[in-house]
Amino acid sequence: MNLKRIAKKVVILVLQCLLAVEVLICIGALPVLLKDLTFHFSDYFIAIKAMNLGLISYDQLTLDGKNPLFPVIFDRYIESMKILGLSILTACFIAFVITYLSFIFFRKKINVLKNLIELAEAVPDLMFILLLQLAVIMIYKKTGIKIATVVSIREKAFLLPVISLSVPISFYITKVFIHHIEEELEKQYIHLAKAKGLSFSYILNIHVLRNIAEGMFGSSKTIFWTMLSTLLVVDYLFNMNGLLRAMVTGPDPFVVGCILILIPFYLLYRTYEWISFDYRKDSK
């Protein structure tokens, strides 16, 4: 029975992924449909057919109308995902450390931290990146010490792009951490634990952090898509040949890039939802 249910879920998941790919292809072909501000339905369906055949054959799609899309798009995808993945881990680490230390040592002044976060979030990401690049340049001029590569020319910039992606979103993650912890601290079992004489650090470490994990995972979608939008700005400002920069060059890289981004993360989230649902169902 379990195998039958798993097989059914896998089939549904595959069909959903195929449908998502077709929707992305239809979106990518829209410029053909709306060319010259008139509708070209026959050309539109021809473009959709050509895109499907191109995905199957791997040799008809182009990066810029001339050069083959594969396997270049995979190299750019891997590079972008490395930076994005490391940035997500760094942002979560920064947010966790700030939140944890604040609740352990400055619990009564947590509202001050909230106000500081609101102030930090008001700084645009673009301004933060430009100020970061300017600071590195000024330090190099004053001391001759090259902290990091500012622009990818001969050597690739890595440290500054990661900082540019992780620091701004870490403010949002910190705010979400604080919100979930405060909500959890208001629950009845926390008051019962305090009445039993358990220390706050024990309650925070053993109960609260474990119980807010699912809520934090639910916020990860917003975190991921926010960082993905910032990644395009980072690609241009640091002169990086990343996936997002390639996607704006034409319909073929746009569709393939969307597929490479959407499908793996869709599979991840759907799998987590199924496992989480089955776990909650079995625990009742």
Side-chain angles (χ1 to χ4, degrees):
M1 182 65 182
N2 289 333
L3 291 176
K4 184 178 179 180
R5 185 174 63 179
I6 292 173
K8 182 180 178 180
K9 287 184 176 182
V10 171
V11 171
I12 292 174
L13 189 60
V14 171
L15 292 176
Q16 289 174 337
C17 290
L18 292 175
L19 179 61
V21 170
E22 288 302 318
V23 170
L24 291 174
I25 291 174
C26 292
I27 294 173
L30 280 178
V32 177
L33 175 65
L34 303 175
K35 185 178 180 181
D36 300 327
L37 299 180
T38 56
F39 292 103
H40 302 273
F41 290 104
S42 60
D43 293 339
Y44 179 64
F45 290 116
I46 291 173
I48 292 175
K49 180 180 178 181
M51 182 70 70
N52 279 283
L53 293 175
L55 289 175
I56 295 172
S57 63
Y58 285 95
D59 59 357
Q60 298 180 14
L61 303 181
T62 59
L63 182 64
D64 50 9
K66 299 179 181 179
N67 299 314
L69 182 61
F70 300 104
V72 177
I73 193 70
F74 293 127
D75 296 333
R76 297 196 178 189
Y77 173 76
I78 292 172
E79 288 298 319
S80 293
M81 290 303 107
K82 284 181 181 178
I83 292 176
L84 185 63
L86 184 58
S87 299
I88 292 175
L89 293 176
T90 303
C92 291
F93 176 76
I94 293 172
F96 176 79
V97 170
I98 293 174
T99 305
Y100 184 81
L101 294 179
S102 297
F103 272 98
I104 291 294
F105 299 107
F106 310 104
R107 188 165 72 253
K108 296 181 180 180
K109 297 182 179 180
I110 201 70
N111 289 328
V112 177
L113 176 60
K114 290 182 182 179
N115 293 331
L116 292 175
I117 291 173
E118 293 290 340
L119 183 62
E121 283 187 314
V123 179
D125 293 351
L126 180 60
M127 181 181 294
F128 173 77
I129 296 172
L130 293 176
L131 290 175
L132 186 63
Q133 289 179 317
L134 180 62
V136 172
I137 294 171
M138 293 300 295
I139 292 173
Y140 178 73
K141 285 185 175 181
K142 295 291 185 182
T143 64
I145 299 174
K146 186 180 179 181
I147 298 176
T149 302
V150 177
V151 179
S152 296
I153 301 177
R154 294 181 180 177
E155 54 181 316
K156 293 182 180 179
F158 189 82
L159 178 60
L160 291 187
V162 170
I163 295 175
S164 300
L165 279 172
S166 60
V167 172
I169 197 64
S170 66
F171 301 134
Y172 171 78
I173 301 175
T174 302
K175 188 166 63 175
V176 174
F177 258 126
I178 292 173
H179 172 73
H180 284 296
I181 290 176
E182 286 182 332
E183 277 194 340
E184 198 69 22
L185 290 175
E186 293 298 323
K187 293 184 178 180
Q188 291 297 325
Y189 81 93
I190 297 295
H191 297 298
L192 179 61
K194 290 179 179 179
K196 289 183 177 181
L198 298 177
S199 65
F200 179 80
S201 59
Y202 178 87
I203 295 172
L204 181 65
N205 294 329
I206 303 301
H207 297 289
V208 175
L209 294 180
R210 180 183 61 186
N211 292 337
I212 68 170
E214 186 170 350
M216 289 301 303
F217 188 85
S219 303
S220 62
K221 295 179 182 179
T222 302
I223 296 168
F224 173 74
W225 291 113
T226 301
M227 296 183 72
L228 196 63
S229 62
T230 308
L231 185 59
L232 178 60
V233 179
V234 170
D235 278 348
Y236 276 99
L237 292 181
F238 291 97
N239 194 35
M240 299 166 56
N241 291 320
L243 177 67
L244 273 294
R245 192 172 181 179
M247 287 172 61
V248 299
T249 60
D252 291 353
F254 172 79
V255 172
V256 175
C258 288
I259 293 172
L260 291 174
I261 293 171
L262 177 65
I263 298 303
F265 286 95
Y266 179 76
L267 292 173
L268 173 64
Y269 281 107
R270 289 298 294 172
T271 303
Y272 173 81
E273 288 173 1
W274 286 342
I275 295 173
S276 178
F277 176 78
D278 290 339
Y279 175 78
R280 291 195 300 266
K281 185 177 180 181
D282 293 339
S283 62
K284 288 183 180 180

